[in-house]
């Protein structure tokens, strides 16, 4: 998991850096940096279940919004026949940006969830130390 998290730290920092020319970098840079921070901590074997829960709930809620939003996931499937999202890097069509953001949120949720599960397993392995009386 250490390599997994180091790779994701690097990727999330790159994702955040690529947001500088996005229409809403003030939203997406913090999202990706939040995930990078928790991956960094997990690589150091520091696990924070509340941090994972906050990220997962927030990003899942936002992803659900992106499903039903105008130009969102449903719109992409119904009216644009799941047209390719990767023809060019520039999102010239509004649904391309919205659907890419949806999948970005899914990546964030997946990585945070993987760390949450792994962290829970690690906590179970640590023996409880009994204090002196």
């Amino acid at each position: 998991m250490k390599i997994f998290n180091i790779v994701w730290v690097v990727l999330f920092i790159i994702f955040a850096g690529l947001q500088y020319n996005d229409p809403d970098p003030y939203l997406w840079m913090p999202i990706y940096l939040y995930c990078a921070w928790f991956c960094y901590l997990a690589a150091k074997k520091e696990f924070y279940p509340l941090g994972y829960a906050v990220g997962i709930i927030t990003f899942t809620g936002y992803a659900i919004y992106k499903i039903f939003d105008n130009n969102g996931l449903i719109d992409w499937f119904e009216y644009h026949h799941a047209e390719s999202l990767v023809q060019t890097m520039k999102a010239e069509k509004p649904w391309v940006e919205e659907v890419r953001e949806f999948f970005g949120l899914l990546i964030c949720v997946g990585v945070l969830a993987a760390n949450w599960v792994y962290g829970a397993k690690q906590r179970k392995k640590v023996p409880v130390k009994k204090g002196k009386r």
Side-chain angles (χ1 to χ4, degrees):
M1 280 300 281
K2 185 173 186 171
I3 293 171
F4 171 85
N5 281 298
I6 290 170
V7 167
W8 280 109
V9 166
V10 171
L11 288 174
F12 282 133
I13 290 172
I14 291 169
F15 293 170
L18 292 174
Q19 299 305 311
Y20 76 94
N21 65 350
D22 201 62
D24 48 3
Y26 53 86
L27 178 65
W28 286 95
M29 289 177 116
I31 287 172
Y32 288 131
L33 292 175
Y34 184 90
C35 295
W37 176 249
F38 280 96
C39 287
Y40 169 74
L41 293 173
K44 291 177 30 175
K45 297 201 182 288
E46 295 179 28
F47 300 99
Y48 296 92
L50 182 60
Y52 301 135
V54 167
I56 290 168
I57 291 167
T58 303
F59 302 154
T60 299
Y62 192 31
I64 291 169
Y65 170 77
K66 292 287 184 185
I67 291 172
F68 298 103
D69 187 26
N70 286 342
N71 296 315
L73 191 68
I74 291 174
D75 188 65
W76 175 59
F77 273 116
E78 285 186 8
Y79 302 111
H80 307 291
H81 312 291
E83 182 181 325
S84 176
L85 300 173
V86 293
Q87 291 174 348
T88 65
M89 281 308 293
K90 186 170 181 166
E92 295 169 351
K93 301 168 186 164
W95 64 88
V96 171
E97 178 73 15
E98 298 298 318
V99 176
R100 284 180 182 173
E101 288 177 352
F102 169 79
F103 286 115
L105 290 164
L106 285 186
I107 290 169
C108 291
V109 168
V111 171
L112 290 175
N115 278 320
W116 193 2
V117 169
Y118 181 75
K121 288 180 181 178
Q122 293 304 306
R123 283 189 304 281
K124 288 181 183 179
K125 290 180 181 179
V126 176
V128 176
K129 294 181 182 178
K130 295 185 179 183
K132 295 180 184 178
R133 293 186 184 219

